[in-house]
Amino acid sequence: MKLTKYTHACIRLDKDGRVLVLDPGTFSEAKEALQGAHAVLITHEHGDHIDVPAMVNALRGMDGLAVFAPAGVAANLRKEAPEAAARIHTVEPGSSFEAAGFSVRSFGGQHALIHPQVPVVANIGYLVDENVYHPGDSFIIPDGISVKTLLVPIHAPWNKASEVVDFVIGVRAPRAFQLHDGLLNEMGVKMVEAHVTRLGAKYGTEFTHLSTGETVEV
């Protein structure tokens, strides 16, 4: 399948004429990413991972579009787009389902801690076709499986470089690409990615930077 990287946390997967989008947020080109989509996976409720108006417009404009999300996100979307309620599905950790012809498994349960005074929200990591793993805002390592393509949250208010590297080492996927890079300038991205590239390689992971709009085969 083809993987296309959009700004920050949004990824689009194309396979056999079917399109699956993950986390079309306000930092991303959400409208562009959602064009022609058949299903959407949302990891959690933060705006940089879901552009609610864009998602509602897509649900209203595409009759076959299905959305899969944690309970709070799903409930809010049903409220905003009641006519599409039957196509908005709640996802719990540890579940398996099909979305637009893609097999999906869910992991995790909660967002990484930002600060004890900042409430922790639900967060679901998704493994697509036993291949691509999008962890959302967490470093949850999927249990009992081997990830082939890892999407790495390079920078966030809830992480630091050592945790990013340890996540890559822990998953040990053959290849990895960055996401959640919208808060760093070019120098910051290069610095963190240099650590991930060098240390990840010691454990068998080949890290590659993807520019916004770039597409790769996975």
Side-chain angles (χ1 to χ4, degrees), residues 15 18-21 38-41 66-68 89 96-104 128-129:
K15 181 189 72 171
R18 308 294 288 176
V19 176
L20 178 66
V21 177
H38 299 93
V40 178
L41 307 180
V67 180
F68 300 82
H89 308 279
S96 299
F97 56 94
E98 184 176 291
F102 296 81
S103 65
V104 182
V128 180
D129 278 358

Side-chain angles (χ1 to χ4, degrees), residues 79-90:
K79 178 182 177 182
E80 295 295 327
E83 65 274 29
R87 294 183 278 121
I88 302 169
H89 308 279
T90 297

Side-chain angles (χ1 to χ4, degrees), residues 129-164:
D129 278 358
E130 301 295 314
N131 182 349
V132 178
Y133 180 55
H134 190 311
D137 278 8
S138 78
F139 286 136
I140 293 296
I141 297 176
D143 55 284
I145 58 113
S146 295
V147 174
K148 298 176 183 177
T149 306
L150 178 63
L151 301 175
V152 184
I154 287 293
H155 174 264
W158 48 268
N159 76 25
K160 57 184 179 180
S162 64
E163 295 172 332
V164 176

Side-chain angles (χ1 to χ4, degrees), residues 8-11 22-23 43 49 123-128 132-138 149-151 167 179-180:
H8 199 56
C10 181
I11 298 293
L22 293 90
D23 280 6
T43 62
H49 292 258
N123 180 92
I124 301 291
Y126 297 103
L127 177 70
V128 180
V132 178
Y133 180 55
H134 190 311
D137 278 8
S138 78
T149 306
L150 178 63
L151 301 175
F167 176 61
L179 81 168
H180 219 280

